[in-house]
Amino acid sequence: MELTQPEVLRLYFCNEPRMQPNFTMNFELTEEHLMIRDSARSFAQNELLPGVIERDNEQKFPTDGVKKMAELGFLGMMTSPKYLGGGMDTVSYVLAMEEISKYDASSAVIMSVNNSLVCWGIEKYGTEDQKIKYLTRLASGEVIGAFCLSEPEAGSDATSQKTTALDMGDHYLLNGTKNWITNGSSASIYLVIAQTDVSKGHRGINCLIVEKEMPGFQIGKKEDKLGIRGSDTHSLMFTDVKVPKENRVGDEGFGFKFAMKTLSGGRIGIAAQALGIASGALEISAKYATERKSFNKIIGDHQAIAFKLADMATKVEAARFLVLKAAWLKDQGMPYVTESAMAKLYASEVAMEVSVEAVQIHGGYGFVKDYHVERLMRDAKITQIYEGTSEIQRMVISRAILDEAKEK
């Protein structure tokens, strides 16, 4: 979306008791926001777009791109400068995520996990020693991190953790398997959610910081995925991994709450990724519609195509407002759990719908790799699944609505 000066969006959200009744939110993109957005766009076009099809075909990790993202500060955008981060707000982060996702959603999810889940989680709930030892390296991009929650029998049902962390006094003994871990082999620092006391259910779960070099830690097979093939997704195995007690994040039994609170912010990042995929598909389709001819005129002049573009643009714009609203609420310190779920749900649905239409607009060309839209369509699907499926988001949203109704 190209905004005109003074780059002001006025969003009116009324009668929302979950936040504040009858209030007006004025959102203005600052010069810094515009600079970050433009910098991310330029970086993605010049550094990530070249070779993106090859990386997708070969499931090749974007090593050079990630290194340059670190140099530009994209891997620790919201982390305090005290810990070598950028100290930026969530709005800046989603603006950058959208631009990068337009061109390489694989690089975007690497960035999202490191920012939203790993860096944010440690800065928000970690000890000062943990921040100095781990967060500084993560935020600066010296290393990247991974968030390890999903298991073979615990995907959406995150309370059913089978990975155990036996309390041995001065350390935990970690055993179990994690699945679908983004940055699985490329990360150096892992946040692992594990069950310490089964009798306490979700209150007996902890989050442990695990280092790649710890004995007993093994990286499993690399998944052969439909989309985001440039990011590495692995299963991880832990066999009697000795994790020092000081590597526990938060109080004893805080692990499940840690995971849920961290994922609420992470969903904003994935919503921005989905938005980027959708807006990228729209931009490519609009350009194609001004170049491709049929029946002696450009296809954009055919109402069938023009109306598709109109619907696509409307959905992208609606998704953008939801993403920006969730980011703004988070920056204001206001409740944003429901709004992040709404943004993630809607933006991921739009990413799928718009990318499918992009393929349709391109016709046979949309079915081949050179035109990028088939990759965007494949990348879009995962945004409906990871960091909480669309069904989980509907559960979060509906519960908030019903709880609110009961309070009334």
Side-chain angles (χ1 to χ4, degrees), residues 37-72:
R37 184 195 65 185
D38 294 346
S39 175
R41 180 183 299 162
S42 176
F43 164 73
Q45 289 175 337
N46 296 322
E47 303 292 344
L48 296 179
L49 183 59
V52 69
I53 294 175
E54 177 189 358
R55 293 194 301 274
D56 178 76
N57 288 338
E58 299 177 4
Q59 298 189 74
K60 185 178 179 182
F61 187 82
T63 303
D64 292 340
V66 171
K67 181 179 178 182
K68 289 173 182 176
M69 276 199 288
E71 293 171 354
L72 291 171

Side-chain angles (χ1 to χ4, degrees), residues 16-212:
E16 297 214 30
R18 281 178 291 103
M19 296 168 294
Q20 292 180 7
N22 300 313
F23 80 98
T24 302
M25 183 176 85
N26 295 324
F27 175 71
E28 181 176 1
L29 291 180
T30 65
E31 289 300 320
E32 183 181 5
H33 287 144
L34 298 176
M35 181 186 69
I36 291 166
R37 184 195 65 185
D38 294 346
S39 175
R41 180 183 299 162
S42 176
F43 164 73
Q45 289 175 337
N46 296 322
E47 303 292 344
L48 296 179
L49 183 59
V52 69
I53 294 175
E54 177 189 358
R55 293 194 301 274
D56 178 76
N57 288 338
E58 299 177 4
Q59 298 189 74
K60 185 178 179 182
F61 187 82
T63 303
D64 292 340
V66 171
K67 181 179 178 182
K68 289 173 182 176
M69 276 199 288
E71 293 171 354
L72 291 171
F74 287 128
L75 295 183
M77 292 185 69
M78 297 176 288
T79 303
S80 167
K82 178 181 178 182
Y83 306 111
L84 306 185
M88 301 176 199
D89 60 10
T90 313
V91 170
S92 297
Y93 168 60
V94 300
L95 290 171
M97 275 291 297
E98 179 185 353
E99 294 301 325
I100 289 173
S101 300
K102 286 181 184 179
Y103 302 97
D104 187 358
S106 294
S107 293
V109 75
I110 296 165
M111 171 180 164
S112 178
V113 168
N114 205 69
N115 273 283
S116 298
L117 301 182
V118 184
C119 286
W120 187 85
I122 294 176
E123 182 168 24
K124 180 71 174 178
Y125 299 108
T127 65
E128 188 64 21
D129 287 343
Q130 290 169 353
K131 294 172 187 178
I132 293 170
K133 184 176 181 180
Y134 297 114
L135 182 57
T136 53
R137 297 172 64 202
L138 289 160
S140 66
E142 177 188 338
V143 298
I144 60 174
F147 185 82
C148 310
L149 176 64
S150 295
E151 298 183 1
E153 298 180 24
S156 294
D157 182 11
T159 59
S160 299
Q161 296 289 302
K162 296 293 188 290
T163 298
T164 59
L166 185 61
D167 191 338
M168 303 298 290
D170 64 342
H171 67 276
Y172 293 98
L173 209 56
L174 185 64
N175 285 278
T177 301
K178 293 293 181 180
N179 272 22
W180 321 115
I181 306 304
T182 301
N183 301 342
S185 66
S186 55
S188 297
I189 297 168
Y190 301 78
L191 297 185
V192 182
I193 311 300
Q195 183 71 256
T196 298
D197 189 340
V198 178
S199 67
K200 293 182 179 178
H202 72 275
R203 293 183 178 86
I205 294 174
N206 282 308
C207 173
L208 306 178
I209 302 175
V210 176
E211 299 177 33
K212 195 173 197 174

Side-chain angles (χ1 to χ4, degrees), residues 279-292:
S279 59
L282 172 61
E283 287 183 8
I284 292 172
S285 298
K287 184 174 186 296
Y288 183 78
T290 65
E291 298 170 345
R292 173 72 171 170

Side-chain angles (χ1 to χ4, degrees), residues 225-265:
K225 300 172 297 186
L226 172 72
I228 57 166
R229 290 167 59 84
S231 74
D232 61 314
T233 304
H234 289 257
S235 57
L236 305 176
M237 284 80 75
F238 306 92
T239 305
D240 290 337
V241 179
K242 187 177 178 180
V243 184
K245 258 305 179 47
E246 57 264 28
N247 280 30
R248 185 187 70 214
V249 181
D251 295 332
E252 180 67 38
F254 182 67
F256 181 74
K257 284 187 177 180
F258 170 86
M260 296 303 102
K261 289 176 181 291
T262 303
L263 283 172
S264 290

Side-chain angles (χ1 to χ4, degrees), residues 264 267 336-346 393 396-397:
S264 290
R267 284 167 185 155
Y336 63 90
V337 172
T338 306
E339 287 72 21
S340 70
M342 288 178 174
K344 201 268 188 185
L345 170 64
Y346 188 73
Q393 306 313 315
V396 172
I397 297 163

